[in-house]
Amino acid sequence: MWQKLIATRNDYALTVARLMAGLVMLPHGLQKTLGWFGGGGFQATMEGMTSMGLPAPIVLLVILGESLGALGLIVGAIGRFCAFGFVVIMLGAIFTAHGQHGFFMNWFGNQEGEGFEYHLLMIGLALLPMIWGSGALSIDRVLSRRS
């Protein structure tokens, strides 16, 4: 099972996809964990998301998925697992918070909230490493070549 999890092609397109997904998600994770980039930090995120009705263990998984999962994708460590986490988190965000606001982002501030177009883009980007692995220049590639 481990071999299937880390198996990957020596493909630079996968490297670009996982790097972009990780680099875009990392600031969101840092908002939730450390309060950087205008975020509330760990405690505020836990309180805010549990007040929306999400169970605390799920909120913890979201925080870990957006922060540690982003770091995992950036370095290409267990990329399939990290990318799967992104897909689940983005689907959860669509169905719990953003779906009700329609498709489009709130570029001009004339909606009550943000739509889900960003979430669909992240799902599409994360599907590449989830299906085909972390690609070239990844820890997964180094480990899969050794075994």
Side-chain angles (χ1 to χ4, degrees):
M1 174 150 157
W2 176 252
Q3 291 301 320
K4 288 183 181 180
L5 190 60
I6 64 169
T8 187
R9 302 172 182 187
N10 191 27
D11 187 334
Y12 286 90
L14 295 174
T15 302
V16 170
R18 77 170 162 78
L19 280 173
M20 289 302 105
L23 290 170
V24 167
M25 187 62 75
L26 184 60
H28 294 276
L30 293 174
Q31 287 179 317
K32 292 173 178 66
T33 55
L34 302 175
W36 293 1
F37 305 107
F42 184 82
Q43 191 62 39
T45 301
M46 288 296 290
E47 291 171 5
M49 292 179 78
T50 54
S51 73
M52 292 171 40
L54 294 171
I58 298 298
V59 177
L60 179 62
L61 288 173
V62 168
I63 293 169
L64 292 174
E66 287 189 11
S67 54
L68 296 179
L71 291 172
L73 266 187
I74 290 168
V75 299
I78 318 170
R80 290 177 194 273
F81 179 75
C82 296
F84 174 74
F86 281 16
V87 170
V88 171
I89 290 167
M90 291 297 102
L91 287 172
I94 289 170
F95 290 113
T96 61
H98 297 279
Q100 64 192 356
H101 301 294
F103 177 77
F104 294 103
M105 300 286 292
N106 193 10
W107 293 107
F108 303 106
N110 55 6
Q111 297 173 193
E112 288 184 28
E114 298 288 344
F116 57 88
E117 66 179 312
Y118 159 79
H119 305 85
L120 290 180
L121 288 170
M122 183 58 74
I123 289 169
L125 197 54
L127 282 173
L128 295 169
M130 188 179 106
I131 295 169
W132 289 298
S134 295
L137 305 176
S138 67
I139 291 174
D140 288 349
R141 179 77 178 145
V142 170
L143 294 175
S144 66
R145 290 176 63 197
R146 286 186 183 169
S147 48

